[in-house]
Amino acid sequence: MRGNDGRKIDRRTLEAIRLRAVQQVESGVRVEEVAAALGFSRAAVFAWVAKYRSEGEQSLHRRPAPGRAPILGARQLTELARLVVGGQPRQYGLDGALWTRETVGSLAADAFGVALSTAALGRALDRLGLAPRHPLHQAPDADAEWLAAWRRDRLPELRAESARRGAVCYLVGGGSVLGAEPVTLISAVTGRAGLRFAALPGAPGLRLAQEFSARLLSDAGGPVTMLVHGELAPLFSWAAALEPQNPLWVVTTHPVVEPEPCPAAGRNSATRWRHRGAVQAPGLPATRFIRCQAAARPVLTAEGGRRRPLPNI
């Protein structure tokens, strides 16, 4: 094998060489000269030129590596979603009323006889649109300056008050997974027990907020402080009327959506949703969406009613 074997060249560089070689041949340079200059055989250059002339320039571009096949197929993903959406780990002999990645992995191991790594499990949940995110990372349009100040100044106060009450403090957030069959995904995170979530069938509403609160209280086994952030915050306003001795204490930051025309949607269109990735398993929401940044900029209202508009970025 010669020292300048083309198989040792990375895919990006080899694509550039192919395109350059065909460009030179098409401009009138002899194939022999191009092959000698680039260090490839005449047959290789002739093959590139023939492919270009029959299939176009796109045929010379590198193709993405196929990658490793998913451990769970579409049929298994469908079954996993059926078990998780609306279900609780305790129904399947596991601990807890809310899901964690570990309990979903244990469920998959019991149901399909496969062991999923944390990364593989995260990819499977993401394909289903059920990958929970940290509540404070769910709003890409959030006022970063306001949020940083709240985390620095107000969050420690709330945690201290929660500790005084003898409660576990959770950050709670979530939203709806849009599609033919709506699913509400609500997640809660605490430094003591990590991220846990519930995938509840139906659009966001009071009933789902109350069901999630009951599940979180059950898992915590004692008083709970819920710091609710994001679009679901108004759904937990009912907790403000609870008695002080109630084991559930809820503090919310309320987003107020101010729609404005989205350039991607055309004139006078107030909202625009764009496709982010198809869900593979049938029977679940057909797509996952995110709101166009220009279409809905949240204005966070702090606990005291202060309103701070977002910068016009």
Side-chain angles (χ1 to χ4, degrees):
M1 185 179 297
R2 66 178 190 270
N4 62 344
D5 188 357
R7 289 173 294 183
K8 296 182 180 179
I9 303 176
D10 67 87
R11 293 159 57 87
R12 186 182 297 273
T13 303
L14 189 56
E15 175 187 313
I17 290 174
R18 288 196 297 266
L19 293 171
R20 180 62 176 166
V22 170
Q23 182 184 20
Q24 289 183 340
V25 172
E26 291 296 296
S27 66
V29 182
R30 297 174 63 246
V31 170
E32 290 79 3
E33 296 177 9
V34 174
L38 297 177
F40 285 82
S41 66
R42 292 171 61 254
V45 178
F46 271 121
W48 297 341
V49 173
K51 198 171 187 65
Y52 168 78
R53 291 174 178 173
S54 62
E55 303 178 26
E57 180 181 322
Q58 188 64 33
S59 64
L60 301 178
H61 293 174
R62 70 186 189 279
R63 298 176 181 175
R68 186 176 178 179
I71 297 176
L72 297 180
R75 186 173 299 178
Q76 291 172 315
L77 282 175
T78 301
E79 178 64 15
L80 181 62
R82 187 187 67 80
L83 298 174
V84 170
V85 175
Q88 302 183 30
R90 62 177 55 150
Q91 293 177 259
Y92 311 106
L94 303 171
D95 294 332
L98 295 175
W99 294 103
T100 65
R101 284 196 174 187
E102 290 73 19
T103 53
V104 174
S106 298
L107 179 63
D110 294 340
F112 312 119
V114 296
L116 297 175
S117 65
T118 301
L121 183 59
R123 288 191 296 269
L125 290 174
D126 192 58
R127 289 175 65 191
L128 296 172
L130 301 178
R133 297 177 58 197
H134 193 291
L136 296 184
H137 299 164
Q138 291 177 348
D141 289 346
D143 186 343
E145 180 183 350
W146 180 92
L147 188 58
W150 183 84
R151 296 181 71 172
R152 181 186 65 247
D153 302 328
R154 183 60 176 143
L155 182 57
E157 296 176 359
L158 294 172
R159 283 177 169 161
E161 176 63 16
S162 179
R164 187 187 68 79
R165 293 168 174 254
V168 181
C169 187
Y170 289 88
L171 287 168
V172 177
S176 56
V177 181
L178 300 181
E181 299 177 3
V183 174
T184 299
L185 192 67
I186 309 179
S187 57
V189 63
T190 179
R192 184 178 302 181
L195 186 67
R196 55 190 63 228
F197 68 97
L200 305 172
L206 176 61
R207 178 184 61 83
L208 299 187
Q210 292 176 333
E211 180 177 346
F212 179 84
S213 301
R215 290 194 189 190
L216 186 59
L217 280 168
S218 175
D219 279 1
V224 163
T225 299
M226 294 172 57
L227 309 181
V228 188
H229 180 73
E231 65 182 83
L232 297 185
L235 302 181
F236 290 86
S237 58
W238 54 272
L242 296 177
E243 297 295 331
Q245 65 270 20
N246 193 286
L248 180 64
W249 181 44
V250 177
V251 178
T252 64
T253 58
H254 301 280
V256 179
V257 175
E258 294 184 347
E260 59 185 68
C262 177
R267 182 176 296 179
N268 298 327
S269 180
T271 57
R272 170 72 172 176
W273 300 89
R274 60 185 174 88
H275 182 269
R276 184 176 173 182
V279 172
Q280 304 297 318
L284 286 168
T287 51
R288 294 176 60 210
F289 295 86
I290 58 175
R291 190 181 294 276
C292 176
Q293 290 188 359
R297 300 187 185 280
V299 177
L300 299 177
T301 303
E303 300 153 57
R306 293 172 292 136
R307 290 168 53 87
R308 180 168 185 147
L310 292 177
N312 186 21
I313 57 175

